[in-house]
Amino acid sequence: MANAIFEPNPIPTLAIKDSDRVFPVHRIYCVGRNYADHAIEMGHDPNKELPFFFQKNPDNLLTGGRDFPYPPGTNNVHHEIELAVALHKGGIDIAVESALDCVFGYGVALDMTRRDLQGQAKKAGRPWEVGKAFEHSAPCTYLVPAAEIGHPEHGDIWLKVNGEVRQQGDLNQMIWKIPEMIGYLSAFFELKPGDVILSGTPAGVGPVQRGDQLEGYVENVATLKLAVV
Ligand code: MN
């Protein structure tokens, strides 16, 4: 970009399992309260709501198993283990029936959350970015192509902290399924190749501390390991 007044920031990418090629990330959409038991633990009725989404910034990704630096401005950072859904096709008003055609593959991600700041924002009716869209707030593994593993509809999802299971669920507990989320999002946004959807977290969210070792797992997809520093 010869006429740019400074060097543009690089486009964030995700690695692809067993490949030298990479997945360039466009946007990160995150669904809220998509597992009933997590909605209940956060004080909500899981039966009454349409899905809702917030975004993280693509450059919030933390890849390659790098350490998660405990972020500033908070005393209560929570882990949320999630299946990441990576799109290689987009569109508007995508039919639920064909939505999985948009999916390139899957990864294992954490939606790291400054819960205290998110709580203050909720209470004040303010946006969630300060709680959700901060540096390194989206650790993610490499992607595994759907061509290799298909489209997981069930399977274990869990997170261990220092070897102890904190979150545990099954992908089949998602209230809004992946094709439904793609269809719903595409009624409000133009989805693009490179978009990533974090598909929600099962119950058991809780705080992390410096020195913790996190290990997240989604059956048939990947294991995410990192340290909080
Ligand atoms: Mn989440």
Side-chain angles (χ1 to χ4, degrees):
M1 204 184 294
N3 59 343
I5 62 164
F6 53 82
E7 190 63 30
N9 291 297
I11 294 173
T13 61
L14 291 169
I16 297 167
K17 189 186 179 191
D18 300 328
S19 173
D20 294 332
R21 303 181 72 187
V22 296
F23 179 93
V25 177
H26 176 245
R27 289 183 187 164
I28 303 174
Y29 296 97
C30 307
V31 67
R33 297 171 206 143
N34 201 31
Y35 286 72
D37 51 354
H38 173 62
I40 292 164
E41 77 177 346
M42 299 301 285
H44 299 278
D45 182 337
N47 298 311
K48 287 188 178 170
E49 291 180 332
L50 285 171
F52 70 93
F53 293 84
F54 57 90
Q55 291 183 41
K56 291 190 185 241
N57 302 298
D59 67 353
N60 296 153
L61 285 165
L62 179 67
T63 58
R66 287 182 187 83
D67 293 342
F68 172 78
Y70 199 92
T74 178
N75 293 305
N76 193 17
V77 177
H78 277 204
H79 52 72
E80 296 188 0
I81 185 71
E82 313 210 358
L83 174 70
V85 183
L87 308 187
H88 61 168
K89 290 180 197 159
I92 55 173
D93 294 329
I94 297 166
V96 170
E97 295 71 31
S98 58
L100 286 178
D101 295 343
C102 297
V103 177
F104 166 74
Y106 299 89
V108 177
L110 281 164
D111 167 14
M112 299 304 288
T113 302
R114 292 194 279 216
R115 193 71 77 200
D116 43 2
L117 302 190
Q118 184 201 22
Q120 291 164 18
K122 279 184 188 174
K123 211 168 167 182
R126 291 178 181 153
W128 285 12
E129 278 88 347
V130 71
K132 289 288 195 179
F134 54 93
E135 273 59 56
H136 318 299
S137 62
C140 192
T141 62
Y142 55 66
L143 298 175
V144 186
E148 189 181 319
I149 59 164
H151 298 283
E153 292 178 358
H154 56 82
D156 291 338
I157 176 170
W158 51 249
L159 180 85
K160 292 179 185 175
V161 179
N162 302 323
E164 184 183 309
V165 177
R166 294 282 177 83
Q167 291 190 257
Q168 195 162 25
D170 192 290
L171 299 177
N172 68 12
Q173 295 164 342
M174 284 185 203
I175 297 169
W176 296 92
K177 307 301 181 190
I178 291 159
E180 294 171 326
M181 286 192 277
I182 293 169
Y184 189 87
L185 269 172
S186 72
F188 295 92
F189 301 97
E190 181 177 358
L191 297 180
K192 294 260 177 94
D195 286 344
V196 174
I197 301 170
L198 299 192
S199 55
T201 198
V205 300
V208 300
Q209 312 295 339
R210 287 183 185 84
D212 283 347
Q213 300 288 332
L214 309 187
E215 182 180 357
Y217 172 83
V218 177
E219 190 174 346
N220 290 328
V221 178
T223 301
L224 173 64
K225 286 186 183 179
L226 52 81
V228 181
V229 298

